[in-house]
Structure formats: C-alpha cells, structure tokens
Amino acid sequence: MKTYRYIEGEYEVRSEIKRSLFIATVKGEVDADGAEEFVRAVRKKYPDATHNCYAYVSDELGNVTRFSDDGEPSGTAGQPILDVLKKQGLVKSAIVVTRYFGGVKLGAGGLVGAYSGTASEAVRQAVISQKRESRSVEVKAGYSDFSTLDKFLRNSVCRVGNVEYGDEVRAKVFVPSDGVNAFVRSVCEITGARADCIISADTFYEKF
C-alpha cells in the first residue's frame, strides 16, 4: 500500500545563534508550483533578510526535489534543509529558513548545524499527517439497507463523501486501495447482496 507523510498546515520557529536570527517556516500539501509560491511569499515577508534558503519535496514519491543556498556557501543551507525533509520521510512539503546576519561568521559546519537545526525544530513542532492511496466506491442501496450500512461505514477505515437521497441512496465512499475488495464484500454481506458498488478506476491519496 502506498502512503505518504506530509506537514499539515504552516508553522514558523525562530532561533538566535551567535547573534544571527534564523526563522524556519514550513508548509505542507504543496506541489512544485505551490512550493515556489510559498518561497516567494516568505521572501516577500522578509525582504530585508540576508538569506532565504529553502528546500522542498513536491511529489508523493519523493522524487521531485529542489533546494537553494541563496548566497550561503555551497552545501551549507539548502541541502541540509532538504536532508531534514528526507530523514523524516516528508513529501509535498517545503521549508524556508530565513537568516538575518548578526555580525559573527559561523563557518561551514556552524551554518549546516544552524540551518538543519532550525528546520528540524520547525518540523518537530509541526503536525505530521499521512495519506493513503485510495479509490472511490459509489454505493447504491435502498433506504433500509443504507440505515444498516451507516453504522458499518462509521466504523470502517473509509471516508464518506457526497450522499444523494432519491429513489435510493447513493454514497461516494473513499476507501484505501488495499481494502477495496474487502469493503465491497462487507457491503454485499451486510445488505444481502442488494446494494451495488461501483469502484473507480482512478487512484488518489486520502487522509483517514
């Protein structure tokens, strides 16, 4: 089963290291365009900063990455920030670490520690969520059967979406891909095979 971990929401932490101010801003559920927009927004928020270094992973599989040292010595900022995301297994997430230089040089090792440490603290304070590869199942049932199904749905690992009430009840249910067959069998057993289930061909990721 495919899953991915991501930062839910946006967070900011600050730390002072040898008179330099480091501000780590993190955000999740971003694709490449969303991550670039996020970086621009942080730069706009701190236009007078000495550096706005960043890294992001913009796809579910963790294959699409980008980072920038933004003027810091090569390898001392962007890559350490990216390493924080990778070590935590976070995807579709971005981190910008803003620095206001305080007059004391940190050296290459000190910069790596400052950028990775501030980024790590921001991730530590953030809420980490997980999504699972899923498929949608349209369940069509009579009113009496759906009344029985309702309890099953509320206690299953699934999420009920839109429900339409007409001559029969039609509910769109999101189910983890590896549990779709078992879900359909359960619906069939509960309703005595009176309910119909239509499984979508498309897969996507959903939070349960």
Side-chain angles (χ1 to χ4, degrees), residues 24-103:
T25 312
V26 301
K27 185 174 184 178
E29 281 294 77
V30 292
D31 56 15
D33 289 340
E36 289 291 338
E37 182 179 346
F38 168 63
V39 172
R40 288 193 295 270
V42 175
R43 283 175 172 164
K44 185 176 181 180
K45 184 177 180 180
Y46 301 110
D48 57 339
T50 314
H51 306 281
N52 280 293
C53 307
Y54 69 86
Y56 62 75
V57 181
S58 60
D59 69 319
E60 293 89 348
L61 299 178
N63 295 326
V64 182
T65 65
R66 187 172 180 180
F67 63 86
S68 170
D69 294 311
D70 193 34
E72 292 282 30
S74 179
T76 62
Q79 185 64 60
I81 297 170
L82 180 61
D83 288 343
V84 170
L85 291 171
K86 287 185 173 181
K87 286 177 182 177
Q88 293 295 324
L90 296 169
V91 299
K92 294 184 71 66
S93 299
I95 304 176
V96 180
V97 180
T98 302
R99 182 190 184 191
Y100 284 90
F101 181 55

